[in-house]
Amino acid sequence: MYKTAALTSALLAAVVLVTGCGSEKKGAGPAKASEASPGTSASGEVKGSASGEKGARHQVVFEVGGTGAAQVMWNGNSNHFEQVTLPWSKTESMQLEGAELKAGVTVSVVPGSVKGPDGMLKPAPCTIKVDGKRVADNQDGKSPEPCEYKLKG
């Protein structure tokens, strides 16, 4: 049990390190004027974008199944890590712009552990849906890999 918990913690730490730096997405939704950062309008749009080009707006749904509580990390418009009650889902609206249109942005969800039918800890099931279409899953928790998808244009 401690080995699985340590593995889950190590996996979460690795994902935070990989996705943490510079992945925050600006302009994904309305922001209060008091929350607008320099170079960002009150509506959340990035001012003076190099190409000024924007892609279509996408609805991204992160889901983690199971029962009880678990720690979940997800990366959409920005990085998040919190204790949640399962089943859990989060919906974010994302619009890529500039270089992101070509390179894409990786969205991901790393589920915590849940108790399996045999009493052993296993990764909770996770899925990612983009515009209503399932684009990633961890085979109902059978895969230890996080759910991730490269969102483009």
Side-chain angles (χ1 to χ4, degrees):
M1 184 162 124
Y2 291 112
K3 187 174 183 181
T4 302
L7 178 63
T8 300
S9 296
L11 178 61
L12 289 173
V15 172
V16 168
L17 289 173
V18 170
T19 62
C21 297
S23 65
E24 187 168 328
K25 174 76 175 80
K26 302 282 187 221
K32 295 178 186 173
S34 63
E35 295 175 350
S37 61
T40 304
S41 72
S43 67
E45 296 180 84
V46 176
K47 296 177 184 176
S49 166
S51 71
E53 194 176 344
K54 291 186 179 183
R57 189 164 291 280
H58 297 284
Q59 183 180 25
V60 181
V61 179
F62 305 91
E63 297 175 324
V64 177
T67 57
Q71 292 194 10
V72 174
M73 191 198 89
W74 78 99
N75 178 31
N77 290 315
S78 61
N79 296 323
H80 307 273
F81 184 76
E82 65 183 76
Q83 183 80 12
V84 301
T85 301
L86 302 176
W88 169 89
S89 77
K90 182 71 169 183
T91 303
E92 291 192 359
S93 180
M94 296 182 68
Q95 184 176 28
L96 306 185
E97 54 190 56
E100 295 171 335
L101 291 168
K102 185 175 181 181
V105 171
T106 300
V107 294
S108 62
V109 61
V110 180
S113 297
V114 294
K115 192 179 287 188
D118 60 359
M120 300 296 289
L121 291 177
K122 67 173 198 141
C126 64
T127 61
I128 298 174
K129 295 176 185 171
V130 174
D131 300 329
K133 179 182 175 189
R134 181 183 284 203
V135 295
D137 66 54
N138 68 349
Q139 296 90 41
D140 200 31
K142 292 181 182 93
S143 170
E145 299 296 319
C147 295
E148 62 180 25
Y149 177 74
K150 175 124 351 180
L151 182 63
K152 291 192 175 184

